[in-house]
Amino acid sequence: MPKVLILVADGSEEIEFVTPYDVLTRAGFEVKSVGVALKNENHAHMSRNIRILPDYPDLRSVPLKTAHEDYDILILPGGAPGAKTFCSSDAVLELIGNFRKSGKWVAAICAATTALVAAELIATEKTVDGGKKRVTSHPSVREEVEKARWEYSEERVVVDGKIITSRGPGTAMLFALTIVEELCGKEKRNEVEGPMICAETL
C-alpha cells in the first residue's frame, strides 16, 4: 500500500491534518507525520488550540534528499500560520521540489497551496510534468496563487497531473477520499467511504 508523509506545523488546521491521516489509515496506507519548526518539540499547537503529537518531531528525522524514494505522496495541510511556516522553510520547499521532480504525488489543501507555488519559484530543475498546474486553494490566498501564474479553479478538489489541491476544512473529507481514489482506485475509495456514512454530495 502507498506510504504517506504529512507535514504539520504550529498553526496548521486540525481538520485538514487529521482527516487525511484518518482516512488514509482506514484505506490501509502507511501514514507518517513530521513536525516543521515546532516551538514545542513534543507537539504542534494547531490553529484551534488542539495539540497534535507528530510521528517524527522535526524534519531532521526525515532524509530530505531521499524521502521521495521512501514515500508515495507528500501532504500539506493548510491553516495560514502553518502554511507560512512551510513557505519559509527551505527544507520543506526542497522536499516538495524533490517529490515533484521525481514524479511523486503532492497534495495541498487550503493555504498550503502557497507552498507549492513557493517551491516552484525556487526550483532549479524542471518537474517531470512540466511545472505549473491547475490548482485550487482557500479563497484568501487565491491572489497569491494567481500572481504566480498558476491556473486557478474554484472546484472543491482539483487533480492535475500528480498534484491534488483542495479548498479548506469543509473539503477535507473529499480531499482525503480523492487521494485514496487517485492512488488506489475507485473501488478502494468506495470501500473506505461507505462505512463512514459520508454525505452523498461528496
Side-chain angles (χ1 to χ4, degrees):
M1 292 300 284
K3 296 178 69 175
V4 179
L5 187 64
I6 182 168
L7 305 185
V8 63
D10 293 321
S12 289
E13 171 64 54
E14 286 89 334
I15 293 174
E16 296 166 7
F17 172 83
V18 172
T19 303
Y21 199 115
D22 178 292
V23 172
L24 299 179
T25 299
R26 290 172 190 260
F29 290 30
E30 182 182 331
V31 184
K32 295 295 181 185
S33 60
V34 59
V36 178
L38 302 181
K39 291 178 182 175
N40 186 311
E41 291 184 2
N42 295 320
H43 64 259
H45 188 154
M46 308 296 275
S47 65
R48 301 303 184 269
N49 293 320
I50 291 175
R51 271 68 166 175
I52 294 288
L53 182 66
D55 297 303
Y56 301 117
D58 59 59
L59 283 170
R60 289 173 295 182
S61 310
V62 177
L64 295 179
K65 302 290 185 185
T66 60
H68 59 281
E69 299 173 5
D70 299 327
Y71 295 92
D72 300 290
I73 184 169
L74 174 67
I75 300 177
L76 294 87
K84 286 180 181 177
T85 296
F86 298 156
C87 289
S88 63
S89 168
D90 291 340
V92 169
L93 300 184
E94 179 183 353
L95 196 60
I96 295 170
N98 288 341
F99 271 76
R100 297 277 290 121
K101 286 182 289 187
S102 65
K104 292 293 186 74
W105 290 92
V106 177
I109 183 170
C110 195
T113 300
T114 57
L116 280 174
V117 171
E120 198 76 30
L121 285 172
I122 66 166
T124 56
E125 294 180 42
K126 288 284 187 182
T127 56
V128 296
D129 59 7
K132 298 173 184 177
K133 294 292 181 183
R134 187 169 65 95
V135 294
T136 193
S137 71
H138 192 272
S140 64
V141 297
R142 174 175 182 161
E143 184 177 344
E144 184 175 343
V145 174
E146 289 185 317
K147 191 177 291 185
R149 303 191 181 211
W150 289 60
E151 183 181 347
Y152 197 87
S153 171
E154 292 187 351
E155 296 174 58
R156 291 165 62 81
V157 174
V158 174
V159 181
D160 191 4
K162 291 291 186 74
I163 289 180
I164 302 170
T165 52
S166 190
R167 307 215 75 195
T171 65
M173 180 64 74
L174 180 57
F175 175 65
L177 290 169
T178 300
I179 293 171
V180 173
E181 182 171 350
E182 290 297 322
L183 273 68
C184 289
K186 182 70 172 176
E187 185 175 344
K188 174 57 74 172
R189 172 181 172 156
N190 291 341
E191 176 188 317
V192 174
E193 187 174 6
M196 290 195 293
I197 321 297
C198 294
E200 292 184 8
T201 55
L202 291 179

